[in-house]
Amino acid sequence: MTRIGIILTLALLMAIAPAAWAFNCPVVIKQAEDLIKKAESGKVTADTKQLIEEAKKQVAEAKAHHENAKTKRDHGDAVRKAKVAAAFAEEAITLQNP
């Protein structure tokens, strides 16, 4: 590839990347919801119930951040909350499996 071709390719990637990040919220939220469903379908104990409830709370907050987002930071907050929810759900799943 020529030098100009490489520069044009990099410029195109830099232009497309932010658009892809903008649609990341729903994907991460969906992943967290799927993990919560998986945790709920397992053996729910007192310990795991608290984790699942916290995961649900975090997903609800992530959805609110995404729906009311006005800046990139708002979308970043939505993704962060969804990832935290996924972590709580994964912990519940781990505790369910001996």
Side-chain angles (χ1 to χ4, degrees):
M1 212 183 245
T2 66
R3 186 177 181 145
I4 294 175
I6 292 171
I7 292 171
L8 289 175
T9 303
L10 289 175
L12 179 63
L13 286 174
M14 290 175 69
I16 293 173
W21 293 332
F23 297 105
N24 199 22
C25 300
V27 173
V28 180
I29 290 170
K30 175 74 168 115
Q31 290 170 345
E33 289 175 331
D34 290 344
L35 284 169
I36 292 169
K37 287 179 188 174
K38 183 176 179 182
E40 289 178 322
S41 68
K43 182 181 177 187
V44 179
T45 63
D47 292 333
T48 59
K49 183 176 182 176
Q50 291 176 345
L51 293 168
I52 293 168
E53 292 303 317
E54 184 62 30
K56 287 180 180 180
K57 177 183 158 199
Q58 294 291 325
V59 164
E61 291 177 12
K63 286 180 181 180
H65 277 289
H66 175 66
E67 290 169 2
N68 300 321
K70 292 183 172 70
T71 65
K72 288 182 183 180
R73 182 176 180 97
D74 294 333
H75 285 288
D77 289 343
V79 169
R80 180 178 40 81
K81 293 273 185 181
K83 287 182 178 182
V84 169
F88 278 117
E90 285 177 349
E91 185 178 354
I93 292 166
T94 301
L95 291 175
Q96 291 171 350
N97 298 321

